[in-house]
Amino acid sequence: LIKSDPQFGFNPPVFSREHSLEVELPFLQKTFQDFKIVPILMGRPDYKVCQNLAHSLSQLIGTREDVLIVISTDLSHYHEARVAEMMDHKTLSLIKDFNPQELWNSSRRGETELCGLTLVVTGLLYALERNLKGVEVLKYAHSGNVTGDNSRVVGYSAVVFTQDGLSQDSTAEAVSSLTPPQKRRLIQIAQETLKNYLKTGRVAP
């Protein structure tokens, strides 16, 4: 991948404060038994770099079926819930429409927000280059849905791209893969972590 474009390179220090990979890792470990990771971190390049990366990935991955591309990003940040929902639904609508150029432009105009805009745009460009037809929004929520504080929320979503789309059964399975006890335990862990951090300023290992 590095050899495919002179603008691509390996710069270890840029990963020192980037935690998205460690957030995704437990889910990957739970799902797959044996896999390798090629982490890609993007700053704020121009649209052409996104196009070049999408093309390089398409050329290198080709028709392989053993490669999963995972993109990690939040949606809107720190708006009142009603505003966040409007922005995020526009974001998701542009994603579902496979419209990377308008997603790029709308973000520049402040109409949509993603901290990982360049990665999502690259993902959409890759999907277009590979002629992927299916896209499903599995879930949308914002932090106010959990905390009850709707004054300043952060938006989140889970979206999956496939060759021909998911069936209703597979979509339902993806959304409800956790059992009720597992969901309750995750909420309990999150609450305990927040309480501990507010009291001590540290996150328990």
Side-chain angles (χ1 to χ4, degrees), residues 48 59 100 148 164:
K48 180 62 176 176
Q59 292 295 308
D164 299 307

Side-chain angles (χ1 to χ4, degrees), residues 51-106:
Q51 291 176 313
N52 292 347
L53 177 56
H55 181 70
S56 289
L57 289 172
S58 178
Q59 292 295 308
L60 292 168
I61 295 172
T63 58
R64 288 178 58 174
E65 297 184 354
D66 61 341
V67 177
L68 174 68
I69 296 177
V70 178
I71 299 172
S72 181
T73 182
D74 299 334
L75 300 181
S76 63
H77 278 66
Y78 309 133
H79 300 284
E80 188 269 331
R82 180 183 58 84
V83 176
E85 289 170 359
M86 288 191 298
M87 295 180 73
D88 294 341
H89 285 134
K90 178 169 184 175
T91 298
L92 294 174
S93 177
L94 292 171
I95 290 173
K96 290 176 69 176
D97 288 342
F98 292 90
N99 196 338
Q101 183 67 70
E102 180 55 26
L103 182 61
W104 180 273
N105 294 337
S106 68

Side-chain angles (χ1 to χ4, degrees), residues 2 6 9-10 28 39 72 84 93 103 115 121 131 185:
I2 292 173
F10 180 49
L28 295 171
S72 181
S93 177
L103 182 61
C115 58
V121 166
N131 198 30
R185 178 55 182 154

Side-chain angles (χ1 to χ4, degrees), residues 87-196:
M87 295 180 73
D88 294 341
H89 285 134
K90 178 169 184 175
T91 298
L92 294 174
S93 177
L94 292 171
I95 290 173
K96 290 176 69 176
D97 288 342
F98 292 90
N99 196 338
Q101 183 67 70
E102 180 55 26
L103 182 61
W104 180 273
N105 294 337
S106 68
S107 178
R108 292 293 187 264
R109 295 192 299 263
E111 299 169 2
T112 58
E113 287 182 356
L114 306 93
C115 58
L117 171 67
T118 54
L119 290 163
V120 175
V121 166
T122 298
L124 286 171
L125 290 166
Y126 172 85
L128 289 172
E129 185 149 343
R130 299 308 306 173
N131 198 30
L132 301 183
K133 303 292 188 182
V135 56
E136 298 279 351
V137 177
L138 301 180
K139 181 72 175 178
Y140 169 75
H142 56 69
S143 56
N145 299 136
V146 177
T147 66
D149 180 2
N150 289 309
S151 62
R152 296 176 75 247
V153 304
V154 178
Y156 302 94
S157 185
V159 182
V160 61
F161 293 88
T162 60
Q163 188 65 52
D164 299 307
L166 297 176
S167 68
Q168 286 298 111
D169 290 342
S170 61
T171 303
E173 181 181 354
V175 173
S176 60
S177 58
L178 295 176
T179 65
Q182 288 174 325
K183 293 177 182 178
R184 289 194 295 270
R185 178 55 182 154
L186 286 175
I187 292 174
Q188 181 184 5
I189 292 171
Q191 291 171 335
E192 291 172 352
T193 300
L194 287 171
K195 288 178 182 178
N196 181 70

